[in-house]
Amino acid sequence: ADMADDLAGYLAGLVLECEDVRGKDKLKELKVDVGGDEPLSLVTNASNVEVGKRVVVATIGSELKDGAKVKKAMVGGVTSEGMLCDGPMLGWTGGGAGAAALLPESFKPGEAPPKSRPRLDGGGAGGDAPAAPVAKSTGPGVDSLFEKKLTKEEKKALQEKKKAERAAKKAAKGGQDAAEETKSDAE
Protein backbone atom coordinates (compact mmCIF):
# COMPACT_ATOMS: atom_id res chain seq x y z
CA ALA A 1 0.00 0.00 0.00
CA ASP A 2 3.03 2.27 0.38
CA MET A 3 3.24 2.78 -3.35
CA ALA A 4 -0.35 3.91 -3.64
CA ASP A 5 0.28 6.75 -1.20
CA ASP A 6 3.41 7.75 -3.06
CA LEU A 7 1.51 7.95 -6.31
CA ALA A 8 -1.37 10.04 -5.03
CA GLY A 9 -1.85 12.86 -7.51
CA TYR A 10 -0.02 10.96 -10.23
CA LEU A 11 -2.28 10.65 -13.24
CA ALA A 12 -2.20 9.04 -16.63
CA GLY A 13 -2.15 11.70 -19.33
CA LEU A 14 -2.52 11.86 -23.08
CA VAL A 15 -0.14 14.19 -24.91
CA LEU A 16 -2.26 16.52 -27.07
CA GLU A 17 0.48 18.91 -28.15
CA CYS A 18 4.25 18.81 -28.09
CA GLU A 19 6.23 21.93 -29.03
CA ASP A 20 9.90 22.69 -28.65
CA VAL A 21 10.49 25.51 -26.16
CA ARG A 22 12.06 28.36 -28.08
CA GLY A 23 15.69 28.92 -27.38
CA LYS A 24 15.99 25.79 -25.23
CA ASP A 25 17.64 22.79 -26.82
CA LYS A 26 16.02 19.90 -25.14
CA LEU A 27 12.94 21.34 -23.52
CA LYS A 28 9.51 20.59 -24.90
CA GLU A 29 6.25 22.17 -23.86
CA LEU A 30 3.42 19.67 -23.72
CA LYS A 31 -0.30 20.01 -23.41
CA VAL A 32 -1.45 16.91 -21.59
CA ASP A 33 -5.00 15.77 -20.99
CA VAL A 34 -5.16 14.32 -17.47
CA GLY A 35 -8.94 14.03 -17.40
CA GLY A 36 -9.55 17.57 -16.12
CA ASP A 37 -11.45 20.42 -17.77
CA GLU A 38 -8.29 21.88 -19.25
CA PRO A 39 -5.14 20.12 -20.40
CA LEU A 40 -2.07 20.83 -18.28
CA SER A 41 0.99 22.61 -19.61
CA LEU A 42 4.10 20.65 -18.80
CA VAL A 43 7.70 21.28 -19.64
CA THR A 44 9.95 18.26 -20.06
CA ASN A 45 13.34 17.34 -21.43
CA ALA A 46 12.31 13.73 -22.07
CA SER A 47 13.14 12.89 -25.67
CA ASN A 48 10.61 10.07 -26.07
CA VAL A 49 7.44 12.14 -25.79
CA GLU A 50 5.25 12.96 -28.76
CA VAL A 51 1.64 13.70 -29.52
CA GLY A 52 -0.58 10.71 -28.87
CA LYS A 53 1.71 9.10 -26.28
CA ARG A 54 0.29 8.29 -22.88
CA VAL A 55 2.43 9.53 -20.03
CA VAL A 56 2.31 9.82 -16.25
CA VAL A 57 1.99 13.29 -14.74
CA ALA A 58 2.76 14.18 -11.15
CA THR A 59 0.21 16.95 -10.67
CA ILE A 60 0.72 20.02 -8.48
CA GLY A 61 0.69 19.08 -4.81
CA SER A 62 1.69 15.46 -5.31
CA GLU A 63 4.75 14.26 -3.48
CA LEU A 64 7.93 13.06 -5.13
CA LYS A 65 10.07 10.20 -3.89
CA ASP A 66 12.45 12.62 -2.16
CA GLY A 67 9.55 14.20 -0.26
CA ALA A 68 9.42 17.37 -2.34
CA LYS A 69 6.00 18.52 -3.46
CA VAL A 70 5.28 19.29 -7.10
CA LYS A 71 4.65 23.02 -7.56
CA LYS A 72 3.68 25.18 -10.47
CA ALA A 73 7.02 26.26 -11.85
CA MET A 74 8.52 28.29 -14.62
CA VAL A 75 10.80 26.11 -16.68
CA GLY A 76 12.66 27.69 -19.55
CA GLY A 77 10.28 30.67 -19.40
CA VAL A 78 7.21 28.45 -19.69
CA THR A 79 4.79 27.61 -16.92
CA SER A 80 4.83 23.93 -16.04
CA GLU A 81 1.78 22.70 -14.13
CA GLY A 82 3.17 19.41 -12.97
CA MET A 83 5.95 17.01 -13.76
CA LEU A 84 6.27 14.35 -16.36
CA CYS A 85 7.40 11.18 -14.61
CA ASP A 86 10.10 8.79 -15.61
CA GLY A 87 10.17 5.17 -14.52
CA PRO A 88 12.32 5.64 -11.39
CA MET A 89 10.00 8.41 -10.11
CA LEU A 90 7.18 5.87 -10.18
CA GLY A 91 9.20 3.11 -8.59
CA TRP A 92 9.11 1.13 -11.84
CA THR A 93 11.96 -1.18 -12.63
CA GLY A 94 13.21 -1.20 -16.16
CA GLY A 95 12.20 2.34 -17.15
CA GLY A 96 15.13 4.59 -17.92
CA ALA A 97 15.70 7.70 -15.82
CA GLY A 98 15.04 10.85 -17.80
CA ALA A 99 12.82 9.06 -20.34
CA ALA A 100 9.10 9.61 -19.92
CA ALA A 101 7.29 6.64 -18.43
CA LEU A 102 4.86 5.60 -21.16
CA LEU A 103 1.54 3.83 -20.71
CA PRO A 104 -0.36 1.56 -23.09
CA GLU A 105 -3.55 2.86 -24.68
CA SER A 106 -5.73 1.06 -22.18
CA PHE A 107 -4.97 3.85 -19.69
CA LYS A 108 -7.36 6.75 -19.96
CA PRO A 109 -6.40 10.32 -19.02
CA GLY A 110 -6.92 10.90 -15.30
CA GLU A 111 -6.54 7.27 -14.29
CA ALA A 112 -4.03 6.23 -11.66
CA PRO A 113 -0.79 4.93 -13.14
CA PRO A 114 0.17 1.29 -12.58
CA LYS A 115 2.57 0.38 -9.77
CA SER A 116 4.93 -1.42 -12.09
CA ARG A 117 5.99 -0.84 -15.64
CA PRO A 118 3.19 -1.93 -18.00
CA ARG A 119 3.88 -3.82 -21.19
CA LEU A 120 3.33 -1.60 -24.18
CA ASP A 121 2.23 -4.39 -26.53
CA GLY A 122 -1.40 -4.16 -25.46
CA GLY A 123 -1.16 -5.82 -22.08
CA GLY A 124 -0.88 -9.39 -20.90
CA ALA A 125 -3.50 -10.94 -23.13
CA GLY A 126 -1.81 -9.60 -26.22
CA GLY A 127 1.23 -11.75 -25.61
CA ASP A 128 -0.68 -14.97 -25.20
CA ALA A 129 -3.43 -14.54 -27.75
CA PRO A 130 -1.44 -14.87 -30.98
CA ALA A 131 0.26 -18.01 -29.73
CA ALA A 132 -2.92 -19.96 -29.10
CA PRO A 133 -4.30 -20.27 -32.65
CA VAL A 134 -0.89 -21.35 -33.91
CA ALA A 135 -0.80 -24.24 -31.47
CA LYS A 136 -4.31 -25.25 -32.44
CA SER A 137 -3.61 -25.24 -36.14
CA THR A 138 -0.47 -27.38 -35.86
CA GLY A 139 -2.22 -29.91 -33.61
CA PRO A 140 -4.62 -31.55 -36.05
CA GLY A 141 -2.16 -31.30 -38.91
CA VAL A 142 0.48 -33.24 -37.02
CA ASP A 143 -2.01 -35.83 -35.85
CA SER A 144 -3.33 -36.49 -39.33
CA LEU A 145 0.21 -37.11 -40.58
CA PHE A 146 0.67 -39.78 -37.97
CA GLU A 147 -2.74 -41.24 -38.64
CA LYS A 148 -1.93 -41.77 -42.29
CA LYS A 149 1.29 -43.57 -41.45
CA LEU A 150 0.06 -45.65 -38.55
CA THR A 151 -3.45 -46.57 -39.55
CA LYS A 152 -2.93 -50.34 -39.68
CA GLU A 153 -0.73 -50.58 -36.62
CA GLU A 154 -2.95 -48.16 -34.72
CA LYS A 155 -6.06 -50.12 -35.51
CA LYS A 156 -4.36 -53.30 -34.42
CA ALA A 157 -3.12 -51.66 -31.24
CA LEU A 158 -6.57 -50.29 -30.48
CA GLN A 159 -8.15 -53.69 -30.96
CA GLU A 160 -5.56 -55.29 -28.72
CA LYS A 161 -6.14 -52.60 -26.12
CA LYS A 162 -9.92 -53.10 -26.22
CA LYS A 163 -9.46 -56.84 -25.97
CA ALA A 164 -7.15 -56.42 -23.01
CA GLU A 165 -9.61 -54.04 -21.35
CA ARG A 166 -12.47 -56.45 -21.86
CA ALA A 167 -10.41 -59.32 -20.48
CA ALA A 168 -9.42 -57.19 -17.51
CA LYS A 169 -13.05 -56.27 -16.81
CA LYS A 170 -14.06 -59.91 -17.10
CA ALA A 171 -11.24 -60.93 -14.78
CA ALA A 172 -12.22 -58.26 -12.29
CA LYS A 173 -15.83 -59.32 -12.43
CA GLY A 174 -14.85 -62.97 -12.26
CA GLY A 175 -12.62 -62.18 -9.32
CA GLN A 176 -15.50 -60.50 -7.52
CA ASP A 177 -17.80 -63.44 -8.18
CA ALA A 178 -15.13 -65.82 -7.01
CA ALA A 179 -14.60 -63.75 -3.89
CA GLU A 180 -18.30 -63.78 -3.13
CA GLU A 181 -18.43 -67.52 -3.66
CA THR A 182 -15.62 -68.13 -1.22
CA LYS A 183 -17.36 -65.86 1.23
CA SER A 184 -20.63 -67.81 1.00
CA ASP A 185 -18.72 -71.06 1.37
CA ALA A 186 -17.09 -69.81 4.51
CA GLU A 187 -20.48 -69.04 6.00
Side-chain angles (χ1 to χ4, degrees):
D2 303 337
M3 286 300 297
D5 305 339
D6 289 356
L7 298 183
Y10 287 58
L11 303 175
L14 176 62
V15 178
L16 304 178
E17 293 174 33
C18 179
E19 306 272 326
D20 291 329
V21 175
R22 261 188 301 211
K24 303 284 175 206
D25 281 359
K26 295 189 170 141
L27 292 181
K28 296 190 180 113
E29 182 185 358
L30 309 178
K31 290 267 188 278
V32 183
D33 174 6
V34 290
D37 301 336
E38 294 285 323
L40 298 180
S41 297
L42 298 176
V43 179
T44 182
N45 59 1
S47 55
N48 62 332
V49 217
E50 50 197 54
V51 173
K53 294 266 195 214
R54 285 165 202 268
V55 294
V56 181
V57 178
T59 55
I60 292 168
S62 56
E63 200 166 299
L64 300 176
K65 284 240 170 293
D66 58 13
K69 284 234 184 331
V70 177
K71 296 194 270 295
K72 198 171 195 168
M74 292 292 282
V75 183
V78 183
T79 304
S80 187
E81 306 172 300
M83 271 183 88
L84 205 62
C85 300
D86 61 10
M89 281 173 67
L90 295 168
W92 293 2
T93 47
L102 299 178
L103 297 172
E105 286 182 13
S106 53
F107 285 88
K108 297 185 180 45
E111 287 186 354
K115 304 224 167 58
S116 58
R117 188 182 184 192
R119 289 171 44 186
L120 287 179
D121 56 5
D128 306 336
V134 177
K136 272 186 202 133
S137 58
T138 52
V142 173
D143 293 345
S144 57
L145 282 178
F146 283 125
E147 269 165 33
K148 277 179 199 133
K149 274 187 203 153
L150 301 178
T151 327
K152 272 183 195 159
E153 289 91 335
E154 262 190 342
K155 271 188 187 156
K156 223 188 209 163
L158 273 175
Q159 279 167 348
E160 296 286 329
K161 198 172 160 199
K162 275 188 185 146
K163 244 190 223 162
E165 275 171 10
R166 251 184 255 137
K169 268 188 193 148
K170 232 186 211 159
K173 217 174 171 190
Q176 259 177 349
D177 293 348
E180 271 164 25
E181 275 162 29
T182 46
K183 219 159 91 187
S184 58
D185 288 351
E187 285 166 11

